[in-house]
Structure formats: C-alpha cells, structure tokens
Amino acid sequence: MHISDGVLPTSMAVGSYAVSLALTAWSVRKTRGDDLPKVAVVTSSFFVASLIHVPLGPTSVHLLIPGLVGILLGSSAFVSVALGLLLQSLLFQFGGITAWGANSLMMGLPALTAGWLFALIKGKTLFRTVLAGAICGGLGVMLAGTVLAVLLISSGEDFLGVAKIALVAHLPVIAIEAAISAFTVSFLYKVKPELLRTAFPAAT
Amino acid sequence: MGAFSLLNRFSLWFAAGLILGAALFALKASAQDFQLSRSSPPGREAGQLAGQNDKPNRFEQCDQIMAQLQQQKHLMTRELAQIKRELVALREHLSRPGMQEIFAGIGYILGLVGIAFYLHCRKLRKGP
C-alpha cells in the first residue's frame, strides 16, 4: 500500500504535501519532550515493519502498523509516520518522494484516528484495553485502504474497486495487526501501563 | 671431381623426381577426396551405389535436419525462459533493501530524535 511517483496528478500531490506538512507541524508541537525516546523507538519499528512480508498466494503483503503507532504515540503519531515514510522512500524506494504527502496522509490519518479511538474506548481492565488495542490495530489498516481509495479517485480510479482490492488483499494483514496490537497492548498494560495512559492528550 | 659432380647431379634429379611424384600423388588423392565429399556424404554412399533414386532421400534428410533444428530451438526457448525467470528473481532480490539500508534508516531516526531531545533538554535547562 504505497503510492508511487506519477500516479497522482500534480495538484493532488502538492495539496497532500501541504496538508501533510501542516499535520506534521501540529504533531511536532503536540509532542512532549519527555515522549521523544518513545517516538524514536516506535518510529524505528514502523520504519522496519514494512519489511516483514506476509506470503499470500502468489503475491505477498507487508505489515503497516499505523494502528499500533497511533495507540502508542497518540497525537505524535503523525510525525512518526511521516518521518518513517520519508526514510522508506529515500532508502527503500517504497513509494515515490513526490507522493510522500499522499503516503503520509494514507498512514498518518489512520494512525491519528486509531490513537484517538484507543484513548476513547480503552477501559480500566486488561480485557477491555486488549480489546480496544485489537480493534484499533485492525482499524488502522482498514482506514489506510480507505484513504488510499479516496486518494486514487483523483487519478481516475473507481473508488469501490480500489477499496475492495485493497481491503481484500490486506485482510490477513488486518488480522495479524489486530493480533500484534492486542499482544503489545496487553504486554505494556502489565509491564509499563503509563505508556498507554497518556497516548492522546487531546481526547482525555 | 668430375665423378663426384656426376653423382651429385644424379642424386639431385632423383630427389626432385621423388618430391614431384609424392606431390602429384597427394594432389590426386586430395582431389579424389574432395570430389567424393562433394558428391555424397559418407553415410549415403551405399544407397547411391545401390542405384536408388536420389530425390526422396534428400527430402527425408532435410526433414530430419529440420526436426533436429526445431527440437533444438524448443530446448533453447525453454532454457532461455528459465534464465529470464532467474534474472527477474535476481533483480527483485537485488532491489530488496538490505541490512545497510535498514540500519541507516534507524540511525537517521535515532539521530533526528536525538537532536530534538537535545534541543528540548537545552530549553528545559534554560527555562527555570
């Protein structure tokens, strides 16, 4: 799920760049200084996660983990995703550099949504927290597919067709990421619950 | 001196004759050989001697060669397809990011966040 160079029309690429830069600036301002080490670790994980391929029939899809980034970082998630995608496009040639804005929106908006939702629905108990983690983890990938479809309307694709393909191809990823998020959240809940507590200051 | 010169001359003519004879013999043999190879390949001599008609035999041979060529072409095509597949796989393998890129990226992330952290700490120290 990466948009390559030259797929989007110029106006769309420039517009998404502007929105992404604005969101990144907002995200940086929202980031508390004490959270920076956490941001670094989660960004590194996000950067590397896309190299983990899940074989699926003749093709393979890779992990995306926008949901988990959102859960762990809250409003700082956008800068994390933007930085990770910038380095991915520079070093791995995943997605084009001109499509960086669109790719950041595609991963960053689901991350913010997942973080906001997680802060909203996580309860006090372990079960409720884990359930919220699983839902938000799966939701991140689903939303990413939806945003991809919305972005590709501008290049003349048909929305429902793209959305269907993206969602069907990523069904295993959705399941795997829900499981990974649930596992991570349950582990953190037991070991270091304060990592989950202040995830999205805006929602609390 | 005179006798020696006579003997000498005789032996000279004798040697020249020998050489000429050998050369003629070799020329004749090679000409025969050439004619033989041109008129018919060695394998078909028996058929020709038996007085069979020449034309169907030639067509048959042509067909044989054609079949062999086609078989060879088929084998070559298959091998070429295999090599092309391997080439594609190799190209994909080469374009896949390696350890170097991964650690470079992680290093960039840690470095950038480290700078941000440094600025944050400097602000904290100056603040109060």
Side-chain angles (χ1 to χ4, degrees):
Chain A
M1 246 200 264
H2 288 284
I3 298 176
S4 300
D5 277 327
V7 174
L8 293 174
T10 315
S11 59
M12 196 66 190
V14 173
S16 57
Y17 245 92
V19 177
S20 286
L21 285 176
L23 274 172
T24 308
W26 170 80
S27 186
V28 168
R29 284 186 66 87
K30 279 279 177 185
T31 305
R32 293 181 309 136
D34 299 343
D35 279 345
L36 278 173
K38 191 167 83 169
V39 172
V41 171
V42 176
T43 307
S44 302
S45 313
F46 173 76
F47 172 73
V48 176
S50 60
L51 294 175
I52 301 173
H53 285 263
V54 182
L56 174 76
T59 176
S60 74
V61 289
H62 56 79
L63 292 185
L64 302 164
I65 68 165
L68 191 61
V69 173
I71 290 169
L72 293 175
L73 294 184
S75 45
S76 310
F78 200 90
V79 64
S80 165
V81 164
L83 180 58
L85 284 172
L86 181 69
L87 288 171
Q88 277 184 359
S89 72
L90 287 178
L91 292 169
F92 299 168
Q93 282 82 45
F94 281 179
I97 190 73
T98 58
W100 170 81
N103 281 321
S104 301
L105 283 183
M106 187 172 77
M107 290 292 143
L109 290 181
L112 288 179
T113 312
W116 174 75
L117 190 72
F118 181 75
L120 212 77
I121 65 175
K122 72 170 178 192
K124 294 267 182 274
T125 60
L126 171 68
F127 175 73
R128 196 121 178 239
T129 311
V130 169
L131 191 67
I135 289 172
C136 294
L139 191 74
V141 182
M142 282 164 73
L143 284 177
T146 316
V147 176
L148 173 75
V150 170
L151 285 173
L152 284 184
I153 290 177
S154 65
S155 66
E157 301 278 351
D158 139 57
F159 172 73
L160 278 179
V162 175
K164 216 181 282 174
I165 292 171
L167 285 187
V168 168
H170 285 81
L171 271 181
V173 180
I174 291 172
I176 292 170
E177 294 206 3
I180 290 177
S181 304
F183 175 76
T184 311
V185 166
S186 84
F187 180 74
L188 287 178
Y189 184 87
K190 289 172 204 156
V191 178
K192 208 165 170 59
E194 60 265 34
L195 275 185
L196 300 172
R197 210 169 293 150
T198 55
F200 210 93
T204 49
Chain B
M1 178 102 184
F4 179 74
S5 142
L6 198 70
L7 189 70
N8 202 356
R9 208 173 284 172
F10 174 73
S11 65
L12 194 79
W13 278 109
F14 186 72
L18 262 180
I19 290 171
L20 205 68
L24 268 177
F25 182 76
L27 209 69
K28 203 176 154 195
S30 73
Q32 238 174 8
D33 203 34
F34 177 67
Q35 234 166 12
L36 206 75
S37 72
R38 218 169 68 147
S39 68
S40 68
R44 293 197 54 228
E45 225 165 341
Q48 216 172 20
L49 283 178
Q52 281 176 356
N53 201 353
D54 206 22
K55 268 195 174 172
N57 238 335
R58 277 201 183 158
F59 279 134
E60 200 177 291
Q61 204 183 9
C62 234
D63 284 347
Q64 273 178 3
I65 292 174
M66 202 61 196
Q68 273 180 352
L69 278 178
Q70 266 170 352
Q71 198 184 354
Q72 254 176 358
K73 190 182 163 234
H74 181 69
L75 280 175
M76 280 307 215
T77 313
R78 204 167 5 160
E79 271 181 32
L80 209 63
Q82 201 178 348
I83 286 171
K84 273 183 190 164
R85 263 201 305 273
E86 274 174 27
L87 207 66
V88 168
L90 190 71
R91 199 172 289 160
E92 197 195 355
H93 182 77
L94 279 181
S95 71
R96 213 175 286 167
M99 277 291 150
Q100 213 174 343
E101 279 89 5
I102 295 172
F103 284 115
I106 295 175
Y108 265 107
I109 292 167
L110 293 185
L112 288 173
V113 178
I115 292 171
F117 206 46
Y118 164 72
L119 293 177
H120 167 70
C121 288
R122 211 172 59 164
K123 208 164 66 181
L124 272 189
R125 207 183 282 174
K126 268 185 189 171

